[in-house]
Amino acid sequence: MQKAMLRIVLIICATLLAPVAAALAGEAEFKAAQTTIDSQIRAFLADDTQTAYGHAAPNVQRIFPTVEAFMGMVTGGYMPVYRPKSYAFGKVEQTGPNSITQQVLIVGPDGKDYEAVYTLELQPDGVFRITGVSLRASNTLST
């Protein structure tokens, strides 16, 4: 009788704690993705182009097979990401078992507000890398 009761208590505890454990795992993944973005932006600001390129996922590196090609794309179309005056993380969402979308609110070098939406994918080596960035001017920044 006691074993059956203990088993029921354990099942109830596991059921109640599973969402908490999942949320904590999600938070760790979100933090890891944010660390990747932050590291890339810091690399841009330090003119460490090799490190910045290293944060790009293989799909991006296939399109831009050299650091120079990648940096040409970044400086030609993503100046607010390349040289932000400031930035902060906004909304984050797990979009698949190994993918995350992260909003980054940016004040660009021109003093204007921008929203960058990053997509990241967990790589086989256990690191999130950036698979794409959508950038748009923003009149109002919200989190």
Side-chain angles (χ1 to χ4, degrees):
M1 181 73 158
Q2 285 182 334
K3 286 184 181 181
M5 190 64 126
L6 180 60
R7 185 179 211 161
I8 291 170
V9 169
L10 289 175
I11 291 170
I12 290 170
C13 287
T15 303
L16 293 174
L17 293 176
V20 173
L24 291 176
E27 287 299 317
E29 289 178 336
F30 295 160
K31 182 66 178 161
Q34 290 171 350
T35 297
T36 295
I37 295 167
D38 185 58
S39 296
Q40 186 181 59
I41 292 173
R42 289 177 182 274
F44 286 146
L45 290 169
D47 290 321
D48 183 353
T49 58
Q50 189 66 46
T51 296
Y53 183 67
H55 291 297
N59 68 311
V60 175
Q61 291 185 2
R62 276 190 294 280
I63 296 167
F64 303 99
T66 66
V67 172
E68 294 76 22
F70 175 75
M71 291 308 299
M73 175 270 299
V74 170
T75 58
Y78 294 87
M79 192 56 71
V81 170
Y82 178 61
R83 291 290 190 247
K85 284 188 176 180
S86 65
Y87 59 98
F89 293 108
K91 297 175 188 173
V92 62
E93 179 182 2
Q94 187 153 3
T95 53
N98 294 318
S99 58
I100 290 176
T101 299
Q102 173 69 61
Q103 176 191 47
V104 181
L105 309 170
I106 299 172
V107 177
D110 56 4
K112 296 180 181 176
D113 294 333
Y114 295 87
E115 175 191 39
V117 177
Y118 283 76
T119 56
L120 300 97
E121 190 171 279
L122 187 62
Q123 301 300 307
D125 64 2
V127 175
F128 277 96
R129 292 211 169 70
I130 300 164
T131 57
V133 180
S134 172
L135 181 67
R136 69 177 182 89
S138 177
N139 293 328
T140 319
L141 295 180
S142 64
T143 58

